[in-house]
Structures are given as structure tokens and as C-alpha cells.
Amino acid sequence: MNNTQIVTRFPPSPTGTLHIGGARTALFNWLFARHNNGKFVLRIEDTDRVRSTQSNTEVIIGSMKWLGLDWDEGPYFQSQRSKIYDEYIQKLLSTGNAYYCHCSKEELDRKRAEALAKGLKPKYDGKCRDLGLGDAPGAVVRLRSPLTGTTTFKDLVKGVISIDNSELDDLILKRSDGSITYNMAVVVDDSSMGINYVIRGDDHINNTPRQILIYKALNRPIPGFAHLPMILGPDRKPLSKRHGATSVLAFKEMGILPEALLNSLARLGWSYGDKEKFSTQELIELFSLEHVGKASGIFNVEKLIDLNSKYIMEMDGDRLADSLTPFLEALGCSHLSREKVKGAAITLQKRSKTLLDMAKDSLFYFKDITYDEKADEKFLTIDLIDTLEDLLTDLQGAMDFSQAELEKIFVNFLEKHQIKLKKIAQPLRISLTGKTFSPGIFEIMEVLGKDMVIKRLSDAISHIKNK
Ligand code: GLU
């Protein structure tokens, strides 16, 4: 196996969008492939024609792209592979490893009810197993499973798992409507796509012995299996909507950075000492299945948001501007100047936990403002008129509107009036932003620029006069 290239896969069913659990599975497969210079395959398992939708597929693919989980092959679509499945079914039939079963649904239901009534585990009784039946309307194809012995595999996370073959039914591979079953499709796909590592959630662990029997019947190599522990919410209950956002798209819309989400996902079952913050490159370098534990991973949105603020703090101005722009546009800002967005973002970088927070807090730079009612009453008072008018004159005379220049203008202004900055800082802040909280007054003046500052200060003066 040593010289063989590692090939992993992510096979989402587009019956929903991409959620934390699926994204974690995708990430672990991607990291394992990237760490080992292997290949990562994307396959859309859309055999459930009723519940699979095109828009879910698009969201899944968009979410993968946003997370940066690029694939080397695919996306394959199971719905386009029925010919291949049929070939494999024929192969199993011709080698005697599968057979046609004509039992009706009514008959199977009755036998099932009888077994349950006797307290037995319902199981197909093998009635058609040796009848040598051919195809017929209503017939299904079943796997001729071994009746004795055990199926054993060494899960790369959970250790050795063994199950008596007598527990495993002659499972249906092809339904009477001609559609292929999940276990058969997955084995045919994994086998024909050269997948040699299957890393997936442990909700699939019961399928693994069944899939191994199909590999054996097809006489194909069996991949390594790693079943990842469950994901719980902070209350240790299975992660669900009750715990808040769980879809990748929701986190994107919330203004979480992809690398922050990847970092949180990586920690759901995997660890590297006590280290908590990893760049994506570090994850690739350090990832191994040996460090995937058996204990459930706890997903905590609050922690993700805290982590996100750390990643925001490290972003350079250009990326900040690129990342913030779509959020501002979604909030109705248009004709945005890139330099202004960059400047605005930098003033808010240290105080924003998400890009959405940042966009909301920076709206005063880009849209008309309204004064917070209480702040207006308390700070925009008539006694300040002369001071503010004088300040307006000084600012109109400013040759440049850099922070350093503004500071000089203010030092002179305060000295001339014999007042402290405190006296005018809040009135000025409200005049410029409408609010009592904002980044430093000189920072915001520089980003707003001279024309906008003069206009807002003049507006505030008129507003006070009209009170
Ligand atoms: N399509 C399956 C799912 O979304 C995954 C099957 C597998 O990993 O084998 O749960």
C-alpha cells in the first residue's frame, strides 16, 4: 500500500445543504489527501430523486469552494452512473454472488411481523437464494452473503470491529424499480474511483460490514475505514438547529471567515496537543488519522466567533476590503470606493467579531446617518454652537486630512478655546456617525474625508439651530 497514492472522497447527498457534520467529513478527507499528496474526489450522491435538489447541489459545491476544499476529480453524479451500476450487478449475478428474488412486499412484511411477534430479529429467510430465478417484474437483486463466519475490519479510529455474518441479511442491491441501493452504489463508486480511504461519520459504521461483503463478492480491494466521532452541541446533545446556525452557508452569511470555520471543524474529533489555532497550511502539515480521537467533538458557535475575531485581526487591509465589500453591498451600499472600504475596515478591525458586525458598524462611512435619539438630546446642545462653528472653520482650512494633521488642528483649536477634547469629542462623534460609539475620532475623520466631515458637521450645526 505504501507506494499507492492515497485517494479519499466526499460524497454528500444533496437532500440538504452542507452542514457542520458534512463539512467536517469533507475537511478530514481533504486534509488526509493533501497531507499525503493524495487525491480528493467529490461525488454527489443524488440517487434519491425525490429529495435531492439542484439547488442543494449548488449550495454544497459553493460551500466547498468557499471553504477552499478543492477537489482533484469530480463532481461525479450518481444519477448519471446507472449503466456502471448495472454492469457491476451483472458481474455479481454471473459469478453467482447475487441472485434474483421474487418475494413480494406483502410476503416479506408478513414474515417480518411474524419474526417480531416471536421476539426475533427480522431477517430475509433466503427463500429465493437457491431457486436460480431470472429477472421478472417486481424482482429485486440480492447479495448472496456468507451464512457463517465473521466480517472483521480494523477501523482507523475505533479499532477492530467484528460482526457475525449470520447477522447480515442477503441485502438488496437493486430494487424492483431498477434503482440501485446506497450500499451497492457506494461500493461500486469507491471501488471504480480507486478510493482507498473512506473517512466518514460514525452514523455509517453499520453499513461498513455490508459494504465489505460487496467488495469481497466483487473481488476488489477493501479500502481503509475511519469512522469519525459524533458532533455534539455545548450541552452534549447531538448537534442540531437548537444549537444555532449549523449550515456552512449560514456561517458565511454571518461573516465568519472560511479559515476560522475550518479551524473549528478540524478540532471536532482531531487534536494536536493543546494547540487551538491553526492556519489551513498548518492543518495540512499536522493532520493525521492517529490524532483523531474516539470522544465526540463539541461544536460551540461562541468559540467559533471568538476565534473568528482573532483571524479578522490578522487580515491585511486588501483582503479585509475584499471580504467586507459583499456585506456592505448586501446592506444596500453601492458605488463603494475600495480605498474607503479598506480604510473603514482597518478602523474597525480590532473591534469586530464577524464581517457582518464590521459591515453594520461601518455603515456611517457609506450611508446617510440618523442621530441616535438619546445621544442627540444629551450631546447636540445649543451651548456648543459657537465652538462647533469655529471648529468647522478650522477644518475647512485644513490642507490635508491625515490623522497627524487633524491632531495638530485639534491641539491648536483646544488651546484657542481653552477646552478639553472631552467637551467636543462626543458631539463631534455623533455629528459624524450618529452614535456614541465608534473608532477613534481622528481615524474616522480621515476615512470620511474632508468633504464628508464638513458636510456632516454643517448638518449637525443646522440641526442644533433648528431644535
Ligand atoms: N451520501 C452519504 C451521506 O451523505 C455518504 C455515504 C458515505 O460516506 O459512504 O451521508
Side-chain angles (χ1 to χ4, degrees), residues 9 43 45 76 78 81-92 143 173-174 180-195 198 200 210-212 214-218 220-221 223:
R9 49 42 152 205
R43 180 172 78 224
E45 302 209 320
Y76 292 105
Q78 283 192 329
R81 294 172 56 81
S82 34
K83 251 181 90 180
I84 300 170
Y85 302 138
D86 277 339
E87 279 165 28
Y88 277 81
I89 290 282
Q90 286 311 323
K91 222 180 262 181
L92 289 177
L143 181 72
L173 305 176
K174 186 180 175 180
I180 216 77
T181 57
Y182 157 72
N183 281 310
M184 180 65 183
V186 164
V187 173
V188 171
D189 285 345
D190 285 345
S191 184
S192 61
M193 291 171 191
I195 308 297
V198 170
R200 59 186 171 196
R210 294 180 169 83
Q211 293 177 8
I212 288 175
I214 304 178
Y215 279 103
K216 286 186 176 162
L218 288 169
R220 303 289 299 228

Side-chain angles (χ1 to χ4, degrees), residues 132-190:
L133 299 171
D135 199 1
V140 300
V141 176
R142 285 184 187 270
L143 181 72
R144 188 187 303 276
S145 301
L147 300 173
T148 55
T150 50
T151 295
T152 301
F153 66 101
K154 187 165 185 289
D155 188 90
L156 295 164
V157 175
K158 313 245 171 200
V160 175
I161 294 181
S162 248
I163 181 156
D164 282 342
N165 289 335
S166 60
E167 297 271 318
L168 303 169
D169 262 8
D170 277 358
L171 76 135
I172 297 178
L173 305 176
K174 186 180 175 180
R175 300 184 191 91
S176 56
D177 64 2
S179 64
I180 216 77
T181 57
Y182 157 72
N183 281 310
M184 180 65 183
V186 164
V187 173
V188 171
D189 285 345
D190 285 345

